[in-house]
Amino acid sequence: MEKLRVELGERSYDILIGEGLLGQAGQLMSNLAIRGRVAVLTDENVATLHLETLRHGLSAAGIEMVSLALPAGEATKSWPHFSRAVDWLLEQRVERGDVVVALGGGVIGDLAGFAAAVLRRGVRYVQIPTSLLAQVDSSVGGKTAINSAHGKNLIGAFHQPALVLADVTALGTLSDRDFLAGYGEVMKYGLLGDASFFDWLESNAPDMAAGDVAKCIYAVKRSCEMKAAIVARDETEQGERALLNLGHTFCHALENATGYSDRLLHGEGVAVGCALAFEVSARMGLCSQEDPSRVRAHLAQMGLKRDLRDIAGDLPGPDKLVELMGQDKKVVAGTLNFIMARGIGEAFVTSDVDLQVVRDVLADSA
Ligand code: GLY
């Protein structure tokens, strides 16, 4: 088992990465002083696959669990499901000293984390991410949220978990599409800050997708290590943390344009967004044209979407997509910030982006 620490003073916590962690969950949570019972929020698909394993893992350490399974899918990150979850936690008499467990992918992690943030003004929670996307990104760093009709993740709070248990065994139950969508976020780490990790992924990611557990553990660990270091330096995204949003300004506009539906999964949008961000960077003379070509070649090698034309159905034109980007949380005082790159592993934040180049790149990608 690999162990990392997110260093945030009295809110520091461990990330444990390995095989079979669900079955040892009670023992791994032993330092949380759990008072006999935890409340688990999950989704209906994950409940079928993993809830009994978790129940056994907790009961082996004398911890009982109660659980609520919400519908699977992005539509669950909404006020109605959030209010149902919070009311259920209150019905279960979850108190300030208790622990909520988020068992699932990014939707459940974000919703359960936000519920824990506001329940009785804040209770502890443990993230048990079961998707690759959640293991490498959303379960770490304390961003919690639900969506609004105005955009994604616009209602939320920073609330750090007390522990993250990333059981890579769960990755074996993902569909190829979900695994690859999560891989979009793994690749993002190489692109934003570690060229040698991107080199490693070019050689080893096909083995990860084919089920090589040791390589999955390494990639999850390296991704979490990078995220933990950035979050420790910039917890509330005053600066450097925005690098983690490489590809996301494009992605959020595309997710909005596709109605947060399965036409485009979040990680697929990140993959397309990274390709577009590198293309804009190259056309603005910030990096060489070889860099976007290399990004696109790797996405093709992995069978991931790279262009707007890879997304099924009609999309709005470049003007409308740029307008949708204006709803992004990275808008500061009306100025849209982008994550651009000087090369692979060298991302930076800037508002100095020519929107006509962005429109041209979007048009060429459609
Ligand atoms: N997913 C980006 C962040 O956690 O900051």
Side-chain angles (χ1 to χ4, degrees):
M1 186 174 70
E2 302 284 348
K3 181 172 169 175
L4 304 171
R5 187 136 180 99
V6 184
E7 296 288 355
L8 286 167
E10 61 185 19
R11 285 171 293 103
S12 298
Y13 55 95
D14 290 333
I15 306 169
L16 306 180
I17 304 157
E19 285 184 273
L21 303 193
L22 275 172
Q24 307 162 48
Q27 180 203 331
L28 297 173
M29 289 183 198
S30 59
N31 64 344
L32 298 181
I34 290 169
R35 296 183 303 184
R37 195 180 69 140
V38 293
V40 179
L41 290 171
T42 187
D43 76 35
E44 288 160 0
N45 294 347
V46 172
T48 308
L49 291 166
H50 302 302
L51 200 56
E52 282 316 300
T53 314
L54 177 61
R55 189 188 304 281
H56 287 122
L58 291 168
S59 71
I63 301 170
E64 281 179 38
M65 69 172 225
V66 285
S67 63
L68 174 68
L70 298 168
E74 188 73 26
T76 294
K77 271 176 69 169
S78 59
W79 282 119
H81 292 289
F82 177 72
S83 122
R84 181 177 166 212
V86 172
D87 280 337
W88 177 79
L89 291 169
L90 291 170
E91 270 160 39
Q92 298 303 319
R93 304 202 176 285
V94 174
E95 296 176 6
R96 281 298 279 279
D98 289 333
V99 169
V100 172
V101 173
L103 174 70
V107 167
I108 287 298
D110 284 7
L111 180 143
F114 186 35
V118 298
L119 190 80
R120 301 186 194 279
R121 300 204 178 94
V123 300
R124 295 174 299 165
Y125 72 113
V126 172
Q127 289 275 18
I128 307 189
T130 54
S131 69
L132 181 57
L133 182 138
Q135 292 190 357
V136 299
D137 184 35
S138 57
S139 67
V140 175
K143 278 190 182 174
T144 74
I146 57 173
N147 300 331
S148 150
H150 294 282
K152 201 173 150 77
N153 294 335
L154 293 180
I155 306 156
F158 284 100
H159 185 51
Q160 298 293 341
L163 176 70
V164 179
L165 297 181
D167 184 347
V168 295
T169 318
L171 302 180
T173 63
L174 298 177
S175 67
D176 289 349
R177 188 177 177 197
D178 281 329
F179 184 91
L180 284 177
Y183 179 74
E185 296 277 7
V186 175
M187 180 194 72
K188 175 193 80 175
Y189 288 99
L191 294 180
L192 77 88
D194 186 349
S196 62
F197 183 43
F198 187 74
D199 292 346
W200 184 88
L201 290 170
E202 285 179 316
S203 306
N204 294 288
D207 293 342
M208 286 173 62
D212 186 318
V213 171
K215 289 184 178 176
C216 284
I217 291 177
Y218 175 75
V220 173
K221 180 183 166 220
R222 181 66 196 126
S223 302
C224 288
E225 214 167 49
M226 288 181 70
K227 179 149 188 183
I230 290 173
V231 168
R233 290 191 292 265
D234 180 20
E235 182 182 8
T236 56
E237 201 170 308
Q238 304 305 307
E240 184 186 1
R241 184 166 178 167
L243 295 178
L244 296 172
N245 296 324
L246 175 63
H248 284 61
T249 304
F250 295 98
C251 170
H252 288 169
L254 292 170
E255 282 185 288
N256 187 317
T258 50
Y260 305 103
S261 67
D262 71 359
R263 279 174 67 195
L264 183 72
L265 303 180
H266 176 70
E268 293 174 335
V270 171
V272 173
C274 286
L276 296 172
F278 268 81
E279 186 59 39
V280 172
S281 300
R283 291 199 199 178
M284 288 181 59
L286 297 166
C287 67
S288 86
Q289 186 55 49
E290 278 165 30
D291 293 326
S293 302
R294 204 173 145 197
V295 174
R296 293 171 61 79
H298 183 53
L299 291 172
Q301 173 195 22
M302 296 304 291
L304 264 159
K305 292 180 173 49
R306 318 178 267 298
D307 278 307
L308 270 52
R309 71 183 78 94
D310 299 329
I311 301 168
D314 292 336
L315 285 173
D319 288 337
K320 177 69 183 168
L321 288 173
V322 168
E323 188 188 315
L324 290 174
M325 289 175 193
Q327 185 56 265
D328 199 272
K329 288 189 296 313
K330 290 178 292 304
V331 175
V332 179
T335 303
L336 187 54
N337 285 321
F338 282 86
I339 320 303
M340 293 284 112
R342 293 194 183 86
I344 286 176
E346 294 176 69
F348 66 102
V349 186
T350 179
S351 59
D352 189 13
V353 168
D354 183 343
L355 289 182
Q356 192 49 49
V357 174
V358 174
R359 287 189 195 93
D360 291 346
V361 166
L362 289 168
D364 292 348
S365 180

PDB file of all heavy atoms in Angstrom, residues 73-91:
ATOM      1  N   GLY A  73     -25.026   9.270 -11.859  1.00  0.00           N
ATOM      2  CA  GLY A  73     -25.032  10.244 -12.965  1.00  0.00           C
ATOM      3  C   GLY A  73     -24.941  11.680 -12.484  1.00  0.00           C
ATOM      4  O   GLY A  73     -25.272  12.022 -11.351  1.00  0.00           O
ATOM      5  N   GLU A  74     -24.479  12.524 -13.408  1.00  0.00           N
ATOM      6  CA  GLU A  74     -24.206  13.937 -13.110  1.00  0.00           C
ATOM      7  C   GLU A  74     -25.448  14.682 -12.618  1.00  0.00           C
ATOM      8  O   GLU A  74     -25.344  15.616 -11.813  1.00  0.00           O
ATOM      9  CB  GLU A  74     -23.642  14.596 -14.389  1.00  0.00           C
ATOM     10  CG  GLU A  74     -23.132  16.006 -14.238  1.00  0.00           C
ATOM     11  CD  GLU A  74     -21.802  16.121 -13.494  1.00  0.00           C
ATOM     12  OE1 GLU A  74     -21.001  15.159 -13.491  1.00  0.00           O
ATOM     13  OE2 GLU A  74     -21.567  17.192 -12.896  1.00  0.00           O
ATOM     14  N   ALA A  75     -26.648  14.267 -13.075  1.00  0.00           N
ATOM     15  CA  ALA A  75     -27.885  14.964 -12.677  1.00  0.00           C
ATOM     16  C   ALA A  75     -28.106  14.896 -11.164  1.00  0.00           C
ATOM     17  O   ALA A  75     -28.859  15.702 -10.602  1.00  0.00           O
ATOM     18  CB  ALA A  75     -29.077  14.373 -13.423  1.00  0.00           C
ATOM     19  N   THR A  76     -27.442  13.962 -10.502  1.00  0.00           N
ATOM     20  CA  THR A  76     -27.582  13.833  -9.039  1.00  0.00           C
ATOM     21  C   THR A  76     -26.908  15.005  -8.302  1.00  0.00           C
ATOM     22  O   THR A  76     -27.274  15.311  -7.162  1.00  0.00           O
ATOM     23  CB  THR A  76     -27.015  12.459  -8.599  1.00  0.00           C
ATOM     24  OG1 THR A  76     -27.862  11.461  -9.154  1.00  0.00           O
ATOM     25  CG2 THR A  76     -26.963  12.295  -7.095  1.00  0.00           C
ATOM     26  N   LYS A  77     -25.954  15.678  -8.954  1.00  0.00           N
ATOM     27  CA  LYS A  77     -25.286  16.819  -8.297  1.00  0.00           C
ATOM     28  C   LYS A  77     -26.190  18.047  -8.360  1.00  0.00           C
ATOM     29  O   LYS A  77     -25.847  19.066  -8.969  1.00  0.00           O
ATOM     30  CB  LYS A  77     -23.946  17.118  -8.983  1.00  0.00           C
ATOM     31  CG  LYS A  77     -22.795  16.329  -8.387  1.00  0.00           C
ATOM     32  CD  LYS A  77     -21.497  16.549  -9.119  1.00  0.00           C
ATOM     33  CE  LYS A  77     -20.908  17.927  -8.952  1.00  0.00           C
ATOM     34  NZ  LYS A  77     -19.522  17.995  -9.471  1.00  0.00           N
ATOM     35  N   SER A  78     -27.362  17.937  -7.734  1.00  0.00           N
ATOM     36  CA  SER A  78     -28.359  19.003  -7.847  1.00  0.00           C
ATOM     37  C   SER A  78     -29.005  19.222  -6.476  1.00  0.00           C
ATOM     38  O   SER A  78     -28.910  18.368  -5.594  1.00  0.00           O
ATOM     39  CB  SER A  78     -29.434  18.575  -8.848  1.00  0.00           C
ATOM     40  OG  SER A  78     -30.034  17.377  -8.388  1.00  0.00           O
ATOM     41  N   TRP A  79     -29.697  20.372  -6.323  1.00  0.00           N
ATOM     42  CA  TRP A  79     -30.339  20.682  -5.045  1.00  0.00           C
ATOM     43  C   TRP A  79     -31.253  19.560  -4.552  1.00  0.00           C
ATOM     44  O   TRP A  79     -31.190  19.204  -3.370  1.00  0.00           O
ATOM     45  CB  TRP A  79     -31.139  21.983  -5.139  1.00  0.00           C
ATOM     46  CG  TRP A  79     -30.331  23.240  -5.066  1.00  0.00           C
ATOM     47  CD1 TRP A  79     -30.244  24.196  -6.034  1.00  0.00           C
ATOM     48  CD2 TRP A  79     -29.506  23.697  -3.979  1.00  0.00           C
ATOM     49  NE1 TRP A  79     -29.415  25.212  -5.615  1.00  0.00           N
ATOM     50  CE2 TRP A  79     -28.951  24.938  -4.360  1.00  0.00           C
ATOM     51  CE3 TRP A  79     -29.173  23.164  -2.732  1.00  0.00           C
ATOM     52  CZ2 TRP A  79     -28.094  25.656  -3.539  1.00  0.00           C
ATOM     53  CZ3 TRP A  79     -28.318  23.886  -1.916  1.00  0.00           C
ATOM     54  CH2 TRP A  79     -27.794  25.109  -2.321  1.00  0.00           C
ATOM     55  N   PRO A  80     -32.145  18.986  -5.400  1.00  0.00           N
ATOM     56  CA  PRO A  80     -33.074  17.978  -4.853  1.00  0.00           C
ATOM     57  C   PRO A  80     -32.355  16.772  -4.232  1.00  0.00           C
ATOM     58  O   PRO A  80     -32.710  16.336  -3.135  1.00  0.00           O
ATOM     59  CB  PRO A  80     -33.914  17.557  -6.071  1.00  0.00           C
ATOM     60  CG  PRO A  80     -33.804  18.705  -7.023  1.00  0.00           C
ATOM     61  CD  PRO A  80     -32.459  19.311  -6.805  1.00  0.00           C
ATOM     62  N   HIS A  81     -31.348  16.251  -4.905  1.00  0.00           N
ATOM     63  CA  HIS A  81     -30.642  15.081  -4.355  1.00  0.00           C
ATOM     64  C   HIS A  81     -29.768  15.483  -3.168  1.00  0.00           C
ATOM     65  O   HIS A  81     -29.617  14.722  -2.205  1.00  0.00           O
ATOM     66  CB  HIS A  81     -29.801  14.409  -5.442  1.00  0.00           C
ATOM     67  CG  HIS A  81     -30.634  13.756  -6.496  1.00  0.00           C
ATOM     68  ND1 HIS A  81     -31.366  12.621  -6.267  1.00  0.00           N
ATOM     69  CD2 HIS A  81     -30.897  14.123  -7.766  1.00  0.00           C
ATOM     70  CE1 HIS A  81     -32.029  12.292  -7.362  1.00  0.00           C
ATOM     71  NE2 HIS A  81     -31.771  13.197  -8.287  1.00  0.00           N
ATOM     72  N   PHE A  82     -29.211  16.692  -3.245  1.00  0.00           N
ATOM     73  CA  PHE A  82     -28.395  17.179  -2.127  1.00  0.00           C
ATOM     74  C   PHE A  82     -29.257  17.307  -0.868  1.00  0.00           C
ATOM     75  O   PHE A  82     -28.882  16.851   0.216  1.00  0.00           O
ATOM     76  CB  PHE A  82     -27.782  18.530  -2.504  1.00  0.00           C
ATOM     77  CG  PHE A  82     -26.992  19.149  -1.403  1.00  0.00           C
ATOM     78  CD1 PHE A  82     -25.765  18.633  -1.040  1.00  0.00           C
ATOM     79  CD2 PHE A  82     -27.495  20.242  -0.709  1.00  0.00           C
ATOM     80  CE1 PHE A  82     -25.036  19.199  -0.007  1.00  0.00           C
ATOM     81  CE2 PHE A  82     -26.768  20.811   0.319  1.00  0.00           C
ATOM     82  CZ  PHE A  82     -25.538  20.286   0.667  1.00  0.00           C
ATOM     83  N   SER A  83     -30.453  17.889  -1.050  1.00  0.00           N
ATOM     84  CA  SER A  83     -31.309  18.098   0.120  1.00  0.00           C
ATOM     85  C   SER A  83     -31.785  16.756   0.679  1.00  0.00           C
ATOM     86  O   SER A  83     -31.843  16.559   1.891  1.00  0.00           O
ATOM     87  CB  SER A  83     -32.421  19.065  -0.273  1.00  0.00           C
ATOM     88  OG  SER A  83     -33.655  18.552  -0.088  1.00  0.00           O
ATOM     89  N   ARG A  84     -32.035  15.791  -0.227  1.00  0.00           N
ATOM     90  CA  ARG A  84     -32.409  14.458   0.257  1.00  0.00           C
ATOM     91  C   ARG A  84     -31.264  13.847   1.078  1.00  0.00           C
ATOM     92  O   ARG A  84     -31.473  13.264   2.148  1.00  0.00           O
ATOM     93  CB  ARG A  84     -32.727  13.570  -0.963  1.00  0.00           C
ATOM     94  CG  ARG A  84     -33.152  12.183  -0.573  1.00  0.00           C
ATOM     95  CD  ARG A  84     -33.536  11.352  -1.790  1.00  0.00           C
ATOM     96  NE  ARG A  84     -33.618   9.958  -1.433  1.00  0.00           N
ATOM     97  CZ  ARG A  84     -33.329   8.941  -2.238  1.00  0.00           C
ATOM     98  NH1 ARG A  84     -32.958   9.167  -3.488  1.00  0.00           N
ATOM     99  NH2 ARG A  84     -33.415   7.702  -1.816  1.00  0.00           N
ATOM    100  N   ALA A  85     -30.030  14.002   0.587  1.00  0.00           N
ATOM    101  CA  ALA A  85     -28.873  13.421   1.293  1.00  0.00           C
ATOM    102  C   ALA A  85     -28.689  14.064   2.672  1.00  0.00           C
ATOM    103  O   ALA A  85     -28.476  13.364   3.675  1.00  0.00           O
ATOM    104  CB  ALA A  85     -27.605  13.608   0.451  1.00  0.00           C
ATOM    105  N   VAL A  86     -28.797  15.390   2.732  1.00  0.00           N
ATOM    106  CA  VAL A  86     -28.591  16.074   4.015  1.00  0.00           C
ATOM    107  C   VAL A  86     -29.702  15.691   4.998  1.00  0.00           C
ATOM    108  O   VAL A  86     -29.434  15.401   6.178  1.00  0.00           O
ATOM    109  CB  VAL A  86     -28.516  17.612   3.812  1.00  0.00           C
ATOM    110  CG1 VAL A  86     -28.501  18.331   5.146  1.00  0.00           C
ATOM    111  CG2 VAL A  86     -27.282  17.981   3.014  1.00  0.00           C
ATOM    112  N   ASP A  87     -30.944  15.657   4.521  1.00  0.00           N
ATOM    113  CA  ASP A  87     -32.053  15.271   5.412  1.00  0.00           C
ATOM    114  C   ASP A  87     -31.872  13.841   5.919  1.00  0.00           C
ATOM    115  O   ASP A  87     -32.136  13.546   7.084  1.00  0.00           O
ATOM    116  CB  ASP A  87     -33.404  15.406   4.698  1.00  0.00           C
ATOM    117  CG  ASP A  87     -33.871  16.855   4.686  1.00  0.00           C
ATOM    118  OD1 ASP A  87     -33.422  17.625   5.556  1.00  0.00           O
ATOM    119  OD2 ASP A  87     -34.660  17.212   3.790  1.00  0.00           O
ATOM    120  N   TRP A  88     -31.395  12.972   5.027  1.00  0.00           N
ATOM    121  CA  TRP A  88     -31.164  11.576   5.442  1.00  0.00           C
ATOM    122  C   TRP A  88     -30.073  11.511   6.528  1.00  0.00           C
ATOM    123  O   TRP A  88     -30.229  10.796   7.525  1.00  0.00           O
ATOM    124  CB  TRP A  88     -30.771  10.732   4.222  1.00  0.00           C
ATOM    125  CG  TRP A  88     -30.445   9.317   4.585  1.00  0.00           C
ATOM    126  CD1 TRP A  88     -31.316   8.301   4.844  1.00  0.00           C
ATOM    127  CD2 TRP A  88     -29.129   8.758   4.769  1.00  0.00           C
ATOM    128  NE1 TRP A  88     -30.631   7.154   5.169  1.00  0.00           N
ATOM    129  CE2 TRP A  88     -29.284   7.414   5.131  1.00  0.00           C
ATOM    130  CE3 TRP A  88     -27.838   9.272   4.652  1.00  0.00           C
ATOM    131  CZ2 TRP A  88     -28.205   6.569   5.380  1.00  0.00           C
ATOM    132  CZ3 TRP A  88     -26.758   8.433   4.904  1.00  0.00           C
ATOM    133  CH2 TRP A  88     -26.942   7.098   5.264  1.00  0.00           C
ATOM    134  N   LEU A  89     -29.008  12.289   6.337  1.00  0.00           N
ATOM    135  CA  LEU A  89     -27.936  12.280   7.357  1.00  0.00           C
ATOM    136  C   LEU A  89     -28.475  12.763   8.703  1.00  0.00           C
ATOM    137  O   LEU A  89     -28.116  12.231   9.758  1.00  0.00           O
ATOM    138  CB  LEU A  89     -26.760  13.160   6.902  1.00  0.00           C
ATOM    139  CG  LEU A  89     -25.957  12.625   5.710  1.00  0.00           C
ATOM    140  CD1 LEU A  89     -25.009  13.689   5.168  1.00  0.00           C
ATOM    141  CD2 LEU A  89     -25.174  11.364   6.092  1.00  0.00           C
ATOM    142  N   LEU A  90     -29.364  13.760   8.661  1.00  0.00           N
ATOM    143  CA  LEU A  90     -29.962  14.252   9.916  1.00  0.00           C
ATOM    144  C   LEU A  90     -30.889  13.189  10.516  1.00  0.00           C
ATOM    145  O   LEU A  90     -30.865  12.965  11.737  1.00  0.00           O
ATOM    146  CB  LEU A  90     -30.714  15.561   9.668  1.00  0.00           C
ATOM    147  CG  LEU A  90     -29.807  16.755   9.329  1.00  0.00           C
ATOM    148  CD1 LEU A  90     -30.633  17.951   8.856  1.00  0.00           C
ATOM    149  CD2 LEU A  90     -28.931  17.142  10.522  1.00  0.00           C
ATOM    150  N   GLU A  91     -31.670  12.523   9.655  1.00  0.00           N
ATOM    151  CA  GLU A  91     -32.537  11.434  10.146  1.00  0.00           C
ATOM    152  C   GLU A  91     -31.711  10.351  10.833  1.00  0.00           C
ATOM    153  O   GLU A  91     -32.138   9.737  11.805  1.00  0.00           O
ATOM    154  CB  GLU A  91     -33.248  10.755   8.966  1.00  0.00           C
ATOM    155  CG  GLU A  91     -34.587  11.328   8.559  1.00  0.00           C
ATOM    156  CD  GLU A  91     -34.911  10.897   7.128  1.00  0.00           C
ATOM    157  OE1 GLU A  91     -34.629   9.732   6.759  1.00  0.00           O
ATOM    158  OE2 GLU A  91     -35.409  11.761   6.395  1.00  0.00           O
TER     159      GLU A  91
END
